[in-house]
Amino acid sequence: MPTSHAAWLPTEAWRAIGSHRTLITGTGPLVDTVADEVRAACAAHGGSVRYGDPSEAERYDLELTLGAESDRDTEGFQVARRDGRTTVRAATPHGLLHGLFHLLRLGPDAFGGDLPARSHRPATRRRMLDHWDNVDVHPVMGQVERGYAGGSLFWRDGAPRRDLARVGAYARLLAAAGINAVALNNVNVHATEARLLTDRLDEVAGLAGAFRRYGIRVHLSVTFAAPVVLGGLPTADPRDERVRAWWARTTAAVYAAVPDFGGYVVKADSEGQPGPFTYGRNHADGANLLADALAPHGGVVHWRAFVYNHRQDWRDRSTDRARAAYDHFAPLDGHFRDNVILQVKHGPIDFQAREPVSPVLTALPATAVAVELQVTQEYTGQQRHVCYLAPMWSELLRGAGGPAVAGLATAGLVAVSNAGDDPFWTGHPLAQANLYAFGRLAWDPGLDPVAILDEWIGLTFPGAPARLRQILHDIMAGSWRTYERYTAPLGVGFMVRPGQHYGPDVDGYEYTPWGTYHFADREGVGVDRTRATGTGFTGQYPSPWCRVYESLDECPDELLLFFHHVPYGHVLRNGSTVIQHIYDTHFAGAREAAEMRRLWEGAAGLVAPELYDRVRERLDEQVRSAAEWRDQINTYFFRKSGVPDAKQRRIY
Ligand code: GCV
């Protein structure tokens, strides 16, 4: 495997910590990890570290102390600086590790003027990455489903990777961003991958060891049909005693091999995966079956709510995919065991560049809920385009134009990882920022996404001239909105090439069974999801959102075509007509992509040549692709509507 890029943990970022005298008190494997980190920093930058009892003769600039905070349950820590000494105190080793990475982010400020004592703790207990890695190379989806960063860090061509050093380096990066759980394999569990649960458990145990060193627990995606495909039983019916006993036995064996195992992730009755519907049972029956097997060991089941009819007749206007999660799961609220976590995609469809918040999130007050985001850029440029997603996630979390997700994600945040065996980890070097930002927002959803970007720039390019920091900032900060401008307009979504989901294909999904339509005709465009005349989806929202989305006057422009079918001449709240807005945003978006590439030229000589070239090559593709999007979208809507561009720009 090629040597990997240091990402947000280059040696230089450790200068402040590594050039001081540190005392570490406490014991345990994670405290050893803290000590190893500080030792490495000191070896590089000339400081010193004492691990254990303080020496009478020495005075310390930094004290990292375990066991001195009252709140023993959290991964929190307390930081202060007084009289020339910085202190980090934590009740748990996990807290101490997070405290160390907090100091890293502070840099020299951790050793400057006094810092009043401040406690930090994560907003959510589980901050998890889901890998969609396959053990075997899947004939269509490859080694990593929707992976745009090379191969898997864990498997290659059906075999485990022997060298776990890269996994260890990955775990370290994740811990430094605040992540504490990883699901190792794809939620589409194929034949070989199913066996990770039983006869390939040693591979899980090996990976768990590498992650454990940084306080990260591993989870496994399992197939609901495991009792049949692995256990040889005639059924996987959740009410069958043999099935229940099989899961209990199998789960006990998992915990014998991996004592701190996190639990299972399940995609059931979804896109061809097996599930409880086969046996006439509902999803609470299915989830509770696994929850009962995990409960004696303290594990959880992440049960995905991504259940919809993917064999819909496009002629049928009464079925609305957006309604599916709510229709299936809202009636089950209160029926799940305490250790079931319902894992809900943030939007009602599928990780588009713009979607409203999934209403099922607002309908589960008695259920533990995790919200799923997608760091891998399946629909947002596949790590060929710069698209810094944290501003979108932050809007969702804070509740800009919809219910605030942060308060609804009671059991944590989960995201599909964008990392692979690519030397830059993420294919596009600048896509590292999405991985970093996900961890930071999961820790504290109130953080400013642009401040996180600057933090990432500061860590990844320590000591860089201000000019470089500015270039990166200018390219990335608004890149999600730029991407949105040149792709599908006003929240309508899914105008991508079917299957691969890259590049424009306006009617690609229009007559397919997938339930993702835009209904453009010569009069107008958009999906009528109102109660008055459409699918009634707006009625799944609580007040005020059911009113806001139902109303043409109140619906946010960005979501207009998600909720309404409107004529091209409809005037938006921003004063433009729909058709003119389509033209204007597409010309602007493609222009902004070209401007990004121009800006990047200023970074020549300021970053490593390999990184410069990789970004430049991807920006070339982004500029090409954005122009293609612009021209296909504008031409399509010009031909449908016959309305010319008021500014008479070139449309084909
Ligand atoms: C893992 C989308 C993706 C699939 C993915 C699925 C899911 O449909 O295109 O590749 O499958 O979401 O989240 O389960």
Side-chain angles (χ1 to χ4, degrees):
M1 194 177 289
T3 330
S4 52
H5 183 245
W8 49 89
L9 291 177
T11 306
E12 184 56 29
W14 291 90
R15 178 171 293 282
I17 293 173
S19 51
H20 286 90
R21 294 161 297 181
T22 298
L23 171 68
I24 300 170
T25 2
T27 49
L30 268 188
V31 187
D32 292 345
T33 301
V34 169
D36 289 346
E37 290 289 346
V38 179
R39 265 190 218 109
C42 291
H45 300 293
S48 65
V49 57
R50 187 172 175 94
Y51 182 16
D53 295 332
S55 131
E56 293 287 310
E58 219 177 332
R59 190 191 138 69
Y60 301 100
D61 311 304
L62 169 62
E63 291 182 9
L64 296 161
T65 310
L66 180 68
E69 210 195 27
S70 54
D71 191 348
R72 303 202 69 84
D73 281 339
T74 78
E75 299 164 283
F77 55 89
Q78 196 184 67
V79 179
R81 180 164 173 84
R82 243 181 65 196
D83 303 330
R85 183 176 307 167
T86 304
T87 52
V88 177
R89 299 179 198 286
T92 66
H94 291 76
L96 204 63
L97 185 65
H98 291 304
L100 174 70
F101 288 126
H102 178 82
L103 291 188
L104 182 81
R105 291 190 288 273
L106 287 179
D109 291 349
F111 302 95
D114 281 1
L115 298 170
R118 201 182 141 198
S119 293
H120 302 258
R121 70 166 57 101
T124 53
R125 190 158 159 214
R126 253 177 219 88
R127 305 170 305 279
M128 177 163 167
L129 280 178
D130 281 4
H131 276 257
W132 285 355
D133 295 19
N134 297 318
V135 175
D136 284 333
V137 177
H138 185 270
V140 179
M141 291 299 173
Q143 187 76 70
V144 180
E145 181 153 346
R146 312 304 180 188
Y148 313 106
S152 164
L153 289 161
F154 312 142
W155 294 283
R156 186 173 173 188
D157 289 337
R161 288 189 178 270
R162 296 276 159 226
D163 176 11
L164 290 180
R166 187 96 195 259
V167 178
Y170 180 55
R172 179 171 179 252
L173 286 172
L174 297 190
I179 286 158
N180 66 0
V182 166
L184 299 172
N185 61 309
N186 191 358
V187 289
N188 291 327
V189 184
H190 309 293
T192 304
E193 292 73 13
R195 293 168 44 215
L196 291 168
L197 182 62
T198 51
D199 55 313
R200 295 187 72 144
L201 196 53
D202 58 322
E203 295 167 31
V204 177
L207 292 166
F211 280 109
R212 185 178 298 122
R213 180 145 187 270
Y214 282 91
I216 295 172
R217 293 170 88 171
V218 302
H219 297 235
L220 208 55
S221 294
V222 296
T223 170
F224 192 75
V228 177
V229 298
L230 300 172
L233 293 179
T235 177
D237 183 349
R239 299 262 174 95
D240 188 300
E241 279 313 318
R242 292 165 300 173
V243 171
R244 301 182 69 75
W246 186 87
W247 276 111
R249 225 173 30 247
T250 303
T251 304
V254 172
Y255 277 89
V258 187
D260 57 352
F261 182 68
Y264 299 139
V265 180
V266 186
K267 172 176 177 177
D269 293 316
S270 169
E271 300 185 334
Q273 293 297 301
F277 287 165
T278 309
Y279 308 99
R281 312 295 183 200
N282 67 31
H283 278 242
D285 296 325
N288 291 343
L289 163 73
L290 300 193
D292 289 345
L294 288 157
H297 313 282
V300 293
V301 56
H302 283 244
W303 189 268
R304 292 176 89 229
F306 186 56
V307 179
Y308 70 99
N309 177 7
H310 71 289
R311 297 209 175 96
Q312 180 179 333
D313 184 342
W314 59 267
R315 299 165 195 85
D316 163 21
R317 296 287 283 257
S318 66
T319 306
D320 179 3
R321 173 167 163 179
R323 296 185 55 114
Y326 185 104
D327 287 342
H328 285 297
F329 288 96
L332 298 179
D333 187 38
H335 294 263
F336 294 102
R337 302 274 192 269
D338 289 349
N339 62 331
V340 173
I341 296 174
L342 201 63
Q343 186 165 311
V344 184
K345 290 192 181 186
H346 66 80
I349 302 281
D350 196 10
F351 300 134
Q352 300 303 289
R354 176 75 69 170
E355 281 188 51
V357 165
S358 175
V360 73
L361 289 169
T362 65
L364 300 163
T367 305
V369 170
V371 173
E372 186 178 306
L373 309 174
Q374 198 183 41
V375 184
T376 194
Q377 292 172 235
E378 176 178 357
Y379 296 99
T380 49
Q382 304 199 345
Q383 282 135 254
R384 291 188 244 178
H385 296 216
V386 180
C387 185
Y388 177 57
L389 291 164
M392 170 169 87
W393 300 331
S394 170
E395 283 191 10
L396 296 167
L397 291 165
R398 285 183 293 108
V405 164
L408 302 169
T410 48
L413 286 182
V414 178
V416 185
S417 176
N418 66 347
D421 75 348
D422 167 66
F424 291 103
W425 298 99
T426 51
H428 200 310
L430 305 189
Q432 288 176 7
N434 284 330
L435 188 56
Y436 181 78
F438 166 70
R440 298 287 290 128
L441 283 173
W443 180 282
D444 181 357
L447 292 175
D448 172 4
V450 176
I452 297 174
L453 172 63
D454 290 334
E455 186 179 285
W456 173 79
I457 293 171
L459 287 170
T460 307
F461 303 92
R467 188 154 54 96
L468 176 65
R469 292 202 300 273
Q470 192 64 48
I471 289 170
L472 287 160
H473 180 106
D474 291 348
I475 289 175
M476 296 174 73
S479 54
W480 161 56
R481 285 191 175 272
T482 291
Y483 185 84
E484 181 185 24
R485 283 187 193 106
Y486 61 74
T487 54
L490 298 166
V492 75
F494 259 98
M495 292 179 171
V496 287
R497 213 158 305 144
Q500 103 190 57
H501 299 166
Y502 184 79
D505 188 343
V506 184
D507 280 339
Y509 271 107
E510 199 58 14
Y511 308 103
T512 70
W514 292 94
T516 48
Y517 315 120
H518 55 68
F519 299 119
D521 57 26
R522 64 182 186 169
E523 309 294 343
V525 56
V527 191
D528 184 353
R529 293 191 159 109
T530 62
R531 297 190 293 292
T533 52
T535 68
F537 171 67
T538 57
Q540 294 187 339
Y541 287 91
S543 185
W545 304 109
C546 58
R547 189 202 69 233
V548 168
Y549 296 145
E550 178 81 4
S551 154
L552 265 180
D553 293 334
E554 290 186 71
C555 184
D557 283 350
E558 295 85 358
L559 291 171
L560 183 72
L561 302 184
F562 193 95
F563 287 107
H564 297 272
H565 184 90
V566 295
Y568 293 113
H570 173 84
V571 179
L572 296 168
R573 285 146 65 88
N574 70 14
S576 182
T577 60
V578 165
I579 190 71
Q580 193 57 43
H581 176 89
I582 291 175
Y583 298 148
D584 288 347
T585 49
H586 284 77
F587 281 113
R591 201 171 49 239
E592 286 161 20
E595 174 62 7
M596 287 177 180
R597 182 173 62 182
R598 194 194 63 74
L599 284 169
W600 185 245
E601 281 165 15
L606 301 179
V607 295
E610 315 81 68
L611 189 139
Y612 179 79
D613 290 344
R614 175 72 76 89
V615 173
R616 193 189 51 189
E617 152 209 314
R618 303 228 161 187
L619 281 167
D620 285 348
E621 165 55 15
Q622 182 166 5
V623 172
R624 185 208 63 76
S625 174
E628 193 60 32
W629 271 100
R630 174 198 64 202
D631 292 339
Q632 286 203 27
I633 297 281
N634 285 345
T635 302
Y636 179 94
F637 284 105
F638 172 62
R639 290 182 185 173
K640 279 265 167 184
S641 70
V643 180
D645 172 27
K647 297 175 191 158
Q648 295 169 354
R649 288 160 293 192
R650 180 129 201 231
I651 295 177
Y652 296 85

